[in-house]
Amino acid sequence: MRADRLAVTAALAELDAASLRRRRRVIEACEPAGAGTRARVDGRTVRVFCSNDYLGLARHADLTAAMHAASAEFGAGSGAAHLVAGHSRPHHELEEQLAAFTGRERTLLFSTGYMANLGVLAAFAGRNETVLEDRLNHASLIDGARLAGARLLRYAHADAAAAALALEPISDCTVIATDGLFSMDGDVAPLRELAALAARRGAWLLVDDAHGLGVLGASGRGSLELAGLDAAAAPLLVGTLGKALGCFGAFVAGDRDVVELLLQRARTYIYTTALPPGIAAAASAALGLAQRESWRREKLHALIARFRSGAASLGLPLMDSASPIQPLLAHDAARALRLSEALFAAGFWVSAIRTPTVPPGSARLRLTLSAAHSEADIDAVLQALDDAWRHERKP
Ligand SMILES: *Cc1c(COP(=O)(O)O)cnc(C)c1O
């Protein structure tokens, strides 16, 4: 871009013309404080259907109490990178708890999932080696392969046969990377087939289960538990703390030496300030609740079933998702935006997802459900969706 204001104005005008300009809404208050599914936003009270707080833990009093206690003891900030003087007891305990939860020997905390993916790909994919990825992988997995200087090869979404075919002429594939539960479609990766392919080809299988952890599987251990796969089948697991666990941050889980090598090599681990200790303490509390209070997961799945059967009977364009991520296809970006605005005016905050987050022509409304929602919330949003869709259908 030219260093010129007009070029910037023109670029913004282009986004407007394509209905692709994004904007933020300001959450002024949570109503009632501590609940989490209603918020005062841009001067209006709305029910929130676009948060990743799947288990309803983000505002739980145990988390905020743990955060306050650890901050009072260790400070608001960690003060340094983990390898300098930033790695405190709350971090270390959380790593051990996450290792036990994921059934791995060891885990390593990262400040965000984005950084975890950049770090793990740069550590395990060499320059000019091939990384094979699902076409709909999260942006951080794509960027990670690019930053590693690897050759990025992509296969059709969730198509393990296409993945195997793509690898046939390739001899230097070192990492196969996939989302566990896909963030924009709500479906799961064919993990058993990908694990077999990775084993056959001597590649690492990297599973990013940011959305699946805490939500999928009989005990909430995520998409690998759902697929019945152990640590040997998927030796690199990325999880985040900012979604079902309601906090912030991320981790990579693996065997002892894998994690040690990551600690030695991952630049996004080494050259950045450690997470605030209070966040680590809150995540520990969240992990305990996610394991002890299985009713959260059960309630969430009951709400998902209620939403899907209601939406199906209303003839809404559901996608094939059994997860808390429930997209409704609008195809056109302007239409998705109109639907989202209509819902907001009716008191429901549902985001419109457009390109480049999803491929062109597949713009959608993306609802996310939470254990903090009630059955009445689900029924109300279905009614509002029906109204909005009916209005769109009018000539
Ligand atoms: C949200 C997400 C990330 C990024 O995690 P952050 O902690 O928010 O940076 C990475 N991968 C997937 C699949 C995600 O959904």
Side-chain angles (χ1 to χ4, degrees):
M1 189 188 294
R2 289 193 323 278
D4 157 355
R5 245 166 226 279
L6 285 176
V8 174
T9 309
L12 289 173
E14 218 169 279
L15 289 174
D16 284 331
S19 297
L20 293 179
R21 166 104 68 137
R22 294 159 188 244
R23 60 182 285 252
R24 301 173 300 174
R25 294 190 189 276
V26 181
I27 300 172
E28 286 143 12
C30 295
E31 296 183 350
T37 57
R38 278 178 180 67
R40 184 116 196 117
V41 183
D42 290 352
R44 160 184 293 277
T45 297
V46 293
R47 300 192 220 205
V48 182
F49 279 94
C50 48
S51 157
N52 301 320
D53 182 20
Y54 301 125
L55 297 179
L57 290 173
R59 296 189 178 83
H60 195 289
D62 288 7
L63 273 66
T64 43
M67 180 183 284
H68 287 146
S71 305
E73 185 176 356
F74 293 96
S78 62
H82 283 280
L83 288 169
V84 182
H87 187 68
S88 59
R89 177 164 47 74
H91 297 115
H92 207 72
E93 286 176 355
L94 175 60
E95 286 184 343
E96 287 171 353
Q97 288 160 1
L98 287 166
F101 178 64
T102 57
R104 313 274 164 148
E105 288 177 2
R106 202 175 163 192
T107 63
L108 194 67
L109 289 178
F110 282 75
S111 293
T112 68
Y114 210 119
M115 291 165 76
N117 281 335
L118 297 185
V120 73
L121 279 160
F124 287 92
R127 198 157 282 283
N128 301 321
E129 292 171 355
T130 298
V131 172
L132 182 67
E133 299 206 14
D134 188 289
R135 188 163 289 286
L136 297 188
N137 271 356
H138 190 266
S140 55
L141 286 171
I142 307 290
D143 292 358
R146 290 193 180 129
L147 190 67
R151 191 159 81 91
L152 177 62
L153 202 62
R154 296 164 86 178
Y155 57 89
H157 174 53
D159 186 341
L165 199 62
L167 276 195
E168 260 173 25
I170 305 288
S171 61
D172 66 347
C173 174
T174 46
V175 181
I176 300 176
T178 184
D179 285 21
L181 169 58
F182 285 87
S183 52
M184 295 302 138
D185 290 52
D187 57 348
V188 292
L191 291 174
R192 298 182 69 85
E193 293 83 351
L194 292 174
L197 177 65
R200 205 159 63 236
R201 299 299 310 259
W204 297 96
L205 179 62
L206 163 56
V207 176
D208 172 357
D209 210 19
H211 290 276
L213 227 62
V215 169
L216 299 181
S219 57
R221 285 174 167 77
S223 56
L224 290 167
E225 183 184 19
L226 190 66
L229 292 174
D230 61 9
L236 299 172
L237 171 66
V238 171
T240 63
L241 311 174
K243 285 164 184 159
L245 294 179
C247 294
F248 182 79
F251 66 92
V252 180
D255 79 22
R256 206 164 300 284
D257 284 350
V258 159
V259 171
E260 179 62 20
L261 188 65
L262 195 60
L263 180 151
Q264 300 299 330
R265 272 196 188 166
R267 293 163 66 86
T268 54
Y269 179 78
I270 299 168
Y271 298 106
T272 198
T273 301
L275 283 173
I279 290 286
S284 284
L287 190 59
L289 285 166
Q291 291 174 267
R292 283 195 307 281
E293 299 190 348
S294 54
W295 64 263
R296 292 178 182 274
R297 217 163 19 257
E298 288 152 18
K299 182 177 174 200
L300 176 62
H301 286 284
L303 294 176
I304 293 166
R306 188 179 186 92
F307 176 82
R308 288 189 65 81
S309 79
S313 64
L314 292 170
L316 293 168
L318 275 173
M319 288 172 65
D320 186 20
S321 160
S323 78
I325 299 165
Q326 291 294 327
L328 295 171
L329 265 186
H331 299 288
D332 176 57
R335 183 156 180 260
L337 210 52
R338 280 197 307 275
L339 286 162
S340 171
E341 291 293 340
L343 284 162
F344 193 79
F348 299 89
W349 190 4
V350 177
S351 47
I353 307 289
R354 293 157 283 165
T355 188
T357 307
V358 292
S362 70
R364 64 198 65 180
L365 289 181
R366 174 177 178 270
L367 284 89
T368 48
L369 307 186
S370 166
H373 285 128
S374 64
E375 292 187 347
D377 287 330
I378 302 299
D379 296 347
V381 78
L382 282 167
Q383 177 68 55
L385 285 163
D386 188 42
D387 290 347
W389 236 273
R390 243 179 242 285
H391 190 78
E392 272 294 315
R393 280 198 204 100
K394 276 201 196 124

